[in-house]
Amino acid sequence: MVDTEREPVLILMFGATGDLACRKLYPALFELYKKNHEFAVIGLARRQHTHESYRSMIDRTLDQNSEQRRDFLERFYYQPLDVGQPYHFALLKNIAEQIDTKYNLHGNRIFYLSLAPRFFGSAAENLKKAGITETQGWKRAVIEKPFGHDLASAKELNEQLLRVFDESEVYRIDHYLGKEMVQNIEALRFANPIFESIWDHRHIANVQITLSETLGVGDRASYYDQTGALLDMVQNHILQLLILTAMEPPSRFDTEDIRQEKVKVLKAIRTMSRDTIANELIRAQYKAGVMPDGTRITGYHNENNIDTDSKTETFVAARFFVDNYRWSGVPFYIRTGKRMAAKSTEIVIQFKDITQNPFFCQLHKAGPNLLVIHIQPDEGLSLKLNVKEFGEAGDTIPISMNFSNHHDSKSSTPDAYERLIGDCLRGDSTNFTRWDEVAYSWTLTDSIVAAWNDIPLDYYEAGTMGPSSSDELLARDGFCWWPLTKME
Ligand code: NAD
């Protein structure tokens, strides 16, 4: 991993007035500033702002109790810019050079494209034409998701970017890779021989990955209706969770070695065809229902800005197989959806029962060993084991050993964006997706999209964990979804 540690840099923040910048990026930059990262920022968006009004806008996104706000905000400058106007980039070049000199930033530049994806290509092209990417220092481009909407569009976008940046300079964000417990999967697996020695088809019965949301489509309705759960969640976040659970240990703890192992998992995932998909995948849409807190929810069809006959899925469940020696025959079940009973992201590893287990046969209260990785909102681990109940009767009962990242330490735990921007500032691209990883994930999801028109859209009531067909997907193999667990 390259670690250029704390080199000063100019950040050119495209989409500077947008939702993501205000909710996530400025607070993350503030935390990094407090940890002595050195940078200046030029905010770029279509709206008119003075430097002062831009700084006031950012100030409203920050923790008002911190005394360092003023010094931090002084490093922000604003330039109105339309990515389609080459002239605006010529102005930007001058400002960038002035700020570079003022803060002695050595020509290091990060281009953060927090823009709608259709603008990524023209922004990169105009940066190059204006000579802003020709710099004495290093340059990096951070690209927000979604990276394309299928393989063809992702390839086109990638070609546009690679005309301006080298692959090693492109940081494709999947913010899930910045989450504490997602980053912990590798440590949990590779730093603990008790897990690594049983992390395979001989000991693991199945893996269950859930990413459930209670929210509906909100103000993203028109985007979501074009996208659906498969492209919004499975192509990126869920596949990343599956990959990290399934990958082989890298030979060295090195960015390219880790990425290489991740790509191998994607290549080994069995593709679905028209003949097999009905047995492997459920797509469903929510209808009216009641959330656990009593809120009545209208059906997806009746949401604002959604076609009344929309066939977009708001839920996907699937069974994947990773066709390699380690995972031979082990199903990886995934599910994700909107308006589900609980908001949770977790991975459950279900271990195989001991054959002829005398305790298990006699004592029905015992259950399989489960390792649960809680990613959000809880952050931690639980390990479910069987022990003899204390006392005379001595039934075998399941117990749970929990490790939870408690609230006290949470406030000092960096947010995913802080962690990822920090990685980018240091030149560590391990937790960003390499092009071939993106390409293979699109190949997989494209094959699903091509095959799934033949399977009917199912429906589930809002406020549930999805349609019964999702339970049947596991029941056919003799398994069930383990109920989501809340940590103490
Ligand atoms: P947004 O619509 O809130 O903001 C878009 C920004 O782009 C605004 O600052 C706007 O002025 C600017 N812009 C629009 N047209 C422009 C043009 N022609 N030239 C220059 N600037 C222009 O969008 P957002 O929610 O902030 O999302 C930004 C990116 O981040 C998108 O790629 C989105 O998919 C991704 N993303 C957003 C979130 C989120 O929570 N908002 C989460 C993950 C990924």
Side-chain angles (χ1 to χ4, degrees), residues 22-23 26-31 34 57-70 72-73 411:
C22 293
R23 270 190 321 110
Y26 299 131
L29 283 173
F30 189 35
E31 293 307 315
K34 289 192 271 185
M57 183 200 84
I58 298 169
D59 193 20
R60 291 191 288 277
T61 72
L62 306 179
D63 171 9
Q64 296 298 304
N65 295 321
S66 176
E67 287 170 7
Q68 287 164 282
R69 273 161 42 228
R70 183 199 284 243
F72 170 70
L73 290 168
S411 54

Side-chain angles (χ1 to χ4, degrees), residues 327-373:
W327 295 111
S328 170
V330 180
F332 284 73
Y333 303 107
I334 63 102
R335 62 178 167 172
T336 181
K338 291 207 171 285
R339 291 292 188 211
M340 291 174 70
K343 173 183 166 66
S344 180
T345 304
E346 66 177 42
I347 304 173
V348 180
I349 315 291
Q350 177 175 338
F351 292 94
K352 285 187 174 167
D353 291 326
I354 301 167
T355 39
Q356 302 296 317
N357 179 348
F359 286 99
F360 195 76
C361 298
Q362 280 171 26
L363 304 162
H364 59 273
K365 281 192 202 162
N369 290 160
L370 302 177
L371 174 67
V372 186
I373 305 171

Side-chain angles (χ1 to χ4, degrees), residues 14-21 23-24 44-47 78 81-84 113-120 144-146 175 223 417:
F14 289 81
T17 57
D19 172 68
L20 182 71
R23 270 190 321 110
K24 295 287 181 187
L44 304 156
R46 274 189 311 188
R47 195 171 301 169
Y78 189 80
L81 174 140
D82 187 320
V83 287
L113 303 189
S114 179
L115 291 165
R118 65 180 184 284
F119 296 130
F120 294 160
E144 269 299 333
K145 78 155 212 178
H175 70 275
Y223 165 76
Y417 272 97

Side-chain angles (χ1 to χ4, degrees), residues 75-94:
R75 299 177 155 260
F76 283 75
Y77 298 83
Y78 189 80
Q79 161 79 23
L81 174 140
D82 187 320
V83 287
Q85 296 290 340
Y87 167 69
H88 291 174
F89 287 78
L91 295 175
L92 175 60
K93 184 174 193 298
N94 286 335

